[in-house]
Amino acid sequence: MTLTKQTLLTHYQDTMEFVRSLEHISEEAWRTPYAEGKWTVAEIIGHLSPWDRFLVAERLPFILANEPFRVKPDSQAVNEEAAKMSREQQRILTIDEFLVSRDRLYRAVELIPEDRLADMFTSKGKTISLLDFLGAMMQHDLHHRAQIEQVTKA
């Protein structure tokens, strides 16, 4: 499959629909880890929202302005805090937070001119195009969706 802006936008819509469908799984499934010692469905969904917000606020504007990044997040700390929050809050809040953050990401990517997706930037010593970077984030989503499906399709 060729990665395009439309592929990304379709993926974002599909992912929002998938997460919305999680409103209908049992509370037990929502709180079940996909494997022993791993995250629950709630924790997986909960950790996506801060990263969507981070992309919109701290990556896309800087890549498009060809400016250095201001913030280098502690990925482990962000994920741990998001997982903790997801364990404590009601499912509908976790899902709504995801839907809001993913919609913002969708709208931000929708506004990027097609030719700007070829813009290159360097992060962690690796030079990558904006399109390939967003494609890697899409693969991250798909990885987690497969984990969730281990619980919801069981």
Side-chain angles (χ1 to χ4, degrees):
M1 166 178 57
T2 303
L3 185 59
T4 65
K5 179 177 172 177
Q6 189 54 52
T7 305
L8 291 169
L9 295 175
T10 299
H11 166 74
Y12 297 151
Q13 288 174 326
D14 290 347
T15 304
M16 286 188 285
E17 288 175 27
F18 174 73
V19 171
R20 201 174 279 115
S21 77
L22 297 175
E23 291 175 4
H24 305 292
I25 66 172
S26 70
E27 185 67 17
E28 180 183 357
W30 177 251
R31 304 285 176 193
T32 297
Y34 70 89
E36 188 173 334
K38 301 296 184 178
W39 274 357
T40 66
V41 173
E43 292 166 321
I44 292 170
I45 298 305
H47 102 284
L48 297 173
S49 301
W51 291 113
D52 284 356
R53 291 189 300 269
F54 179 79
L55 286 174
V56 170
E58 297 294 339
R59 286 299 177 257
L60 294 179
F62 293 89
I63 293 167
L64 294 169
N66 198 24
E67 293 180 7
F69 300 139
R70 297 182 309 184
V71 177
K72 294 180 182 173
D74 179 339
S75 298
Q76 186 172 346
V78 170
N79 288 342
E80 286 175 6
E81 179 61 28
K84 179 182 182 290
M85 180 75 83
S86 301
R87 285 190 297 271
E88 296 172 355
Q89 70 185 6
Q90 294 178 359
R91 177 186 350 188
I92 194 66
L93 293 176
T94 301
I95 290 174
D96 283 351
E97 284 177 10
F98 172 80
L99 294 174
V100 168
S101 67
R102 185 52 57 99
D103 185 62
R104 285 187 184 137
L105 178 58
Y106 176 96
R107 291 173 190 276
V109 171
E110 187 177 41
L111 292 172
I112 299 171
E114 194 85 34
D115 63 320
R116 297 296 309 274
L117 292 171
D119 287 8
M120 303 297 285
F121 69 97
T122 302
S123 178
K124 298 179 184 176
K126 184 178 177 186
T127 301
I128 188 171
S129 74
L130 177 53
L131 183 63
D132 287 341
F133 173 70
L134 293 171
M137 298 297 96
M138 181 177 84
Q139 291 305 314
H140 175 254
D141 284 348
L142 294 171
H143 166 75
H144 284 307
R145 182 174 178 156
Q147 292 171 332
I148 291 168
E149 288 175 340
Q150 291 177 36
V151 173
T152 61
K153 299 216 188 247

